[in-house]
Amino acid sequence: MITRGQTRIIKIGNRKIGGGHPILVQSMTQTRTHDVPATVSQILELEKAGCEIVRVTVPDMKAAKTLGKIKAQIHIPLVADIHFQYLLALESIKQGVDKVRINPGNIGGANQVKAVVKACKEKQIPIRIGVNMGSLEKDLWAQYGKYGVARVMVESATKQIKILEKEKFYEIVVSLKGSDVNQTIKAYEAFAGRFAYPLHVGITEAGTAWSGSLKSAVGIGSILSKGIGDTIRVSIAANPVEQVRTAWEILKVLDLRQKGISIIACPTCGRTQIDLIGLAKKVERALSQVQAPLKVAVMGCVVNGPGEARFADIGLSGGKKQAAIFKKGKVVAIIEEEKKFLPVFLQEVRKVLLEKGYQEDAQRLHQVSQK
Ligand code: SF4
């Protein structure tokens, strides 16, 4: 069990982060924000995949003025991502966004900060300070560079926080992202030891779908395993739906959240007598729409499979022309024909879903099995 740090509770639209609330999954759209139909359609796809907070870039006033229309058509909190231009923040807040990501230190000066803070206070929305390893202040490098980049990142966040605290604004979320995993972990750890503001965790510009997911899993996973982090975003060069899927896998692996099927599959060995890899893929695909937190195993032999996957709610161990279905390590049925392995197994999974009270999932699985 991971003991989570106690951070300040921050409200983002109808969700809360910090103070032990569930770690929320967020993502960012890739569309031109002012293209409302395209942006809304991508957000609805993200919602379906399990995205709980969505961020859109606001590069100009045209984009800012469309945020109200976007918000009216989606169901999760909307965050405006703004760089340098405080007027874009003011318009985004007017349009009803649920959070702004802006660094107060680079929006022009004290009057601009006061204006943004006043608007956020009136609408009761938080600000995320986004520190990025690639764009740290020169003066902080000069002063703290000798202690390493992680220290400079924390000092940068501290500087931004002080600007907001001076205005008596405390609804703050912080991120300290970098593409160097070790330094990013260090930065989050050091920050969590100094502040109780909730943390948005991510490894930025992580890479392509495969390598970036691994890098994110190691980086985000390491930070979360220390009890640090209140919301996560996976930044990989892939469809944002993939980012959301990867984020959920990280949370599921660490037992921090549960959603959908966790597949357990053996790596195969000399004992394997079926197309285990193909079968595991088919099972995963067939169960991809199931929302219930179920552990499902697909194993390559009857001798060791049930024991090796004894924590699975249900599993299949395939042998030559015969497969065993097992629950929590105990064999409960035998399937005699190889072509029946998949359909019979899916039927059994459906029964488990019904037993556990997941009627909608069972119905969904029934529809998939009929195709
Ligand atoms: Fe090999 Fe059986 Fe273990 Fe799979 S479950 S790796 S087939 S021993």
mmCIF file of all heavy atoms in Angstrom, residues 39 43 64 72 93 117-118 123 138 143 145 208 211 274 287 305-306 316 329 340-341:
data_model
loop_
_atom_site.group_PDB
_atom_site.id
_atom_site.type_symbol
_atom_site.label_atom_id
_atom_site.label_comp_id
_atom_site.label_asym_id
_atom_site.label_seq_id
_atom_site.Cartn_x
_atom_site.Cartn_y
_atom_site.Cartn_z
ATOM 1 N N THR A 39 -12.283 20.035 -31.460
ATOM 2 C CA THR A 39 -11.807 19.997 -30.074
ATOM 3 C C THR A 39 -12.799 19.246 -29.185
ATOM 4 O O THR A 39 -12.408 18.385 -28.393
ATOM 5 C CB THR A 39 -11.575 21.441 -29.559
ATOM 6 O OG1 THR A 39 -10.642 22.071 -30.442
ATOM 7 C CG2 THR A 39 -11.023 21.459 -28.149
ATOM 8 N N ILE A 43 -12.247 15.774 -27.092
ATOM 9 C CA ILE A 43 -12.460 15.708 -25.626
ATOM 10 C C ILE A 43 -13.461 14.591 -25.288
ATOM 11 O O ILE A 43 -13.262 13.842 -24.322
ATOM 12 C CB ILE A 43 -12.931 17.071 -25.068
ATOM 13 C CG1 ILE A 43 -11.814 18.114 -25.233
ATOM 14 C CG2 ILE A 43 -13.335 16.941 -23.593
ATOM 15 C CD1 ILE A 43 -12.194 19.538 -24.865
ATOM 16 N N ALA A 64 -9.323 31.722 -27.071
ATOM 17 C CA ALA A 64 -9.887 32.021 -25.747
ATOM 18 C C ALA A 64 -11.400 32.217 -25.830
ATOM 19 O O ALA A 64 -12.147 31.722 -24.988
ATOM 20 C CB ALA A 64 -9.213 33.269 -25.173
ATOM 21 N N ALA A 72 -19.433 24.044 -22.737
ATOM 22 C CA ALA A 72 -20.859 23.696 -22.716
ATOM 23 C C ALA A 72 -21.125 22.305 -23.291
ATOM 24 O O ALA A 72 -22.181 21.732 -23.054
ATOM 25 C CB ALA A 72 -21.639 24.744 -23.505
ATOM 26 N N ILE A 93 -10.915 32.842 -18.233
ATOM 27 C CA ILE A 93 -11.645 32.782 -16.958
ATOM 28 C C ILE A 93 -13.083 33.271 -17.176
ATOM 29 O O ILE A 93 -14.045 32.675 -16.700
ATOM 30 C CB ILE A 93 -10.907 33.616 -15.881
ATOM 31 C CG1 ILE A 93 -9.536 32.984 -15.594
ATOM 32 C CG2 ILE A 93 -11.735 33.722 -14.596
ATOM 33 C CD1 ILE A 93 -8.546 33.897 -14.876
ATOM 34 N N VAL A 117 -5.226 37.052 -10.612
ATOM 35 C CA VAL A 117 -5.596 36.501 -9.300
ATOM 36 C C VAL A 117 -7.007 36.940 -8.911
ATOM 37 O O VAL A 117 -7.818 36.138 -8.438
ATOM 38 C CB VAL A 117 -4.562 36.926 -8.223
ATOM 39 C CG1 VAL A 117 -5.089 36.680 -6.817
ATOM 40 C CG2 VAL A 117 -3.254 36.152 -8.423
ATOM 41 N N LYS A 118 -7.312 38.213 -9.147
ATOM 42 C CA LYS A 118 -8.653 38.737 -8.804
ATOM 43 C C LYS A 118 -9.733 37.939 -9.566
ATOM 44 O O LYS A 118 -10.729 37.505 -8.990
ATOM 45 C CB LYS A 118 -8.717 40.227 -9.188
ATOM 46 C CG LYS A 118 -9.992 40.927 -8.796
ATOM 47 C CD LYS A 118 -9.836 42.445 -8.983
ATOM 48 C CE LYS A 118 -11.136 43.169 -8.744
ATOM 49 N NZ LYS A 118 -12.008 43.232 -9.906
ATOM 50 N N LYS A 123 -14.039 33.744 -9.503
ATOM 51 C CA LYS A 123 -14.665 32.521 -10.058
ATOM 52 C C LYS A 123 -14.284 31.275 -9.268
ATOM 53 O O LYS A 123 -14.681 30.161 -9.635
ATOM 54 C CB LYS A 123 -14.230 32.334 -11.518
ATOM 55 C CG LYS A 123 -14.723 33.408 -12.467
ATOM 56 C CD LYS A 123 -16.073 33.043 -13.021
ATOM 57 C CE LYS A 123 -16.511 34.082 -14.025
ATOM 58 N NZ LYS A 123 -16.997 33.524 -15.244
ATOM 59 N N LYS A 138 17.255 32.262 -15.938
ATOM 60 C CA LYS A 138 18.732 32.378 -15.934
ATOM 61 C C LYS A 138 19.263 32.733 -14.543
ATOM 62 O O LYS A 138 20.271 32.200 -14.095
ATOM 63 C CB LYS A 138 19.159 33.458 -16.929
ATOM 64 C CG LYS A 138 19.126 32.989 -18.376
ATOM 65 C CD LYS A 138 19.972 33.918 -19.243
ATOM 66 C CE LYS A 138 19.894 33.533 -20.699
ATOM 67 N NZ LYS A 138 18.913 34.242 -21.474
ATOM 68 N N GLN A 143 22.207 31.184 -9.510
ATOM 69 C CA GLN A 143 22.254 31.049 -8.049
ATOM 70 C C GLN A 143 22.270 29.586 -7.560
ATOM 71 O O GLN A 143 22.980 29.260 -6.613
ATOM 72 C CB GLN A 143 21.045 31.796 -7.452
ATOM 73 C CG GLN A 143 21.235 32.140 -5.997
ATOM 74 C CD GLN A 143 20.051 32.946 -5.465
ATOM 75 O OE1 GLN A 143 19.211 33.455 -6.231
ATOM 76 N NE2 GLN A 143 19.977 33.073 -4.156
ATOM 77 N N GLY A 145 22.297 26.661 -9.789
ATOM 78 C CA GLY A 145 22.753 25.675 -10.777
ATOM 79 C C GLY A 145 23.763 24.685 -10.229
ATOM 80 O O GLY A 145 23.755 23.507 -10.583
ATOM 81 N N THR A 208 8.032 8.526 -28.087
ATOM 82 C CA THR A 208 6.978 7.901 -28.896
ATOM 83 C C THR A 208 6.127 6.986 -28.014
ATOM 84 O O THR A 208 6.451 6.765 -26.850
ATOM 85 C CB THR A 208 7.605 7.077 -30.032
ATOM 86 O OG1 THR A 208 8.518 6.157 -29.434
ATOM 87 C CG2 THR A 208 8.339 7.960 -31.023
ATOM 88 N N SER A 211 8.360 3.893 -26.333
ATOM 89 C CA SER A 211 9.441 4.293 -25.419
ATOM 90 C C SER A 211 8.942 5.351 -24.430
ATOM 91 O O SER A 211 9.319 5.362 -23.260
ATOM 92 C CB SER A 211 10.647 4.821 -26.197
ATOM 93 O OG SER A 211 10.270 5.946 -26.960
ATOM 94 N N ILE A 274 -0.278 -23.730 -27.057
ATOM 95 C CA ILE A 274 -1.319 -22.991 -27.791
ATOM 96 C C ILE A 274 -0.734 -21.650 -28.236
ATOM 97 O O ILE A 274 0.334 -21.253 -27.772
ATOM 98 C CB ILE A 274 -2.570 -22.720 -26.909
ATOM 99 C CG1 ILE A 274 -2.145 -21.985 -25.618
ATOM 100 C CG2 ILE A 274 -3.333 -23.988 -26.639
ATOM 101 C CD1 ILE A 274 -3.288 -21.300 -24.929
ATOM 102 N N LEU A 287 -12.234 -7.545 -24.028
ATOM 103 C CA LEU A 287 -12.596 -6.989 -22.717
ATOM 104 C C LEU A 287 -12.242 -5.509 -22.570
ATOM 105 O O LEU A 287 -12.380 -4.946 -21.492
ATOM 106 C CB LEU A 287 -11.888 -7.784 -21.605
ATOM 107 C CG LEU A 287 -12.208 -9.284 -21.544
ATOM 108 C CD1 LEU A 287 -11.440 -9.944 -20.421
ATOM 109 C CD2 LEU A 287 -13.701 -9.510 -21.364
ATOM 110 N N GLY A 305 -0.034 -22.627 -14.783
ATOM 111 C CA GLY A 305 -0.834 -21.411 -15.024
ATOM 112 C C GLY A 305 -1.716 -21.002 -13.851
ATOM 113 O O GLY A 305 -1.594 -19.883 -13.327
ATOM 114 N N PRO A 306 -2.614 -21.895 -13.362
ATOM 115 C CA PRO A 306 -3.533 -21.474 -12.288
ATOM 116 C C PRO A 306 -2.803 -20.992 -11.035
ATOM 117 O O PRO A 306 -3.218 -20.026 -10.404
ATOM 118 C CB PRO A 306 -4.354 -22.747 -12.007
ATOM 119 C CG PRO A 306 -4.281 -23.520 -13.290
ATOM 120 C CD PRO A 306 -2.928 -23.248 -13.850
ATOM 121 N N LEU A 316 -7.638 -18.425 -17.788
ATOM 122 C CA LEU A 316 -7.675 -19.588 -18.664
ATOM 123 C C LEU A 316 -6.244 -20.088 -18.834
ATOM 124 O O LEU A 316 -5.328 -19.299 -19.062
ATOM 125 C CB LEU A 316 -8.269 -19.194 -20.024
ATOM 126 C CG LEU A 316 -8.289 -20.292 -21.090
ATOM 127 C CD1 LEU A 316 -9.597 -20.264 -21.856
ATOM 128 C CD2 LEU A 316 -7.127 -20.152 -22.059
ATOM 129 N N GLY A 329 -6.979 -19.207 -8.624
ATOM 130 C CA GLY A 329 -6.030 -20.323 -8.576
ATOM 131 C C GLY A 329 -6.661 -21.706 -8.602
ATOM 132 O O GLY A 329 -5.955 -22.705 -8.728
ATOM 133 N N LYS A 340 -13.176 -23.442 -29.051
ATOM 134 C CA LYS A 340 -14.147 -22.943 -28.053
ATOM 135 C C LYS A 340 -13.472 -22.163 -26.911
ATOM 136 O O LYS A 340 -14.136 -21.617 -26.048
ATOM 137 C CB LYS A 340 -14.922 -24.122 -27.456
ATOM 138 C CG LYS A 340 -15.899 -24.742 -28.403
ATOM 139 C CD LYS A 340 -16.758 -25.732 -27.639
ATOM 140 C CE LYS A 340 -17.722 -26.442 -28.579
ATOM 141 N NZ LYS A 340 -18.260 -27.650 -27.946
ATOM 142 N N PHE A 341 -12.127 -22.158 -26.899
ATOM 143 C CA PHE A 341 -11.426 -21.521 -25.775
ATOM 144 C C PHE A 341 -11.915 -20.083 -25.555
ATOM 145 O O PHE A 341 -12.320 -19.717 -24.461
ATOM 146 C CB PHE A 341 -9.904 -21.475 -26.018
ATOM 147 C CG PHE A 341 -9.195 -22.804 -25.870
ATOM 148 C CD1 PHE A 341 -9.894 -23.961 -25.573
ATOM 149 C CD2 PHE A 341 -7.820 -22.878 -26.034
ATOM 150 C CE1 PHE A 341 -9.234 -25.180 -25.454
ATOM 151 C CE2 PHE A 341 -7.151 -24.089 -25.905
ATOM 152 C CZ PHE A 341 -7.859 -25.236 -25.618
#
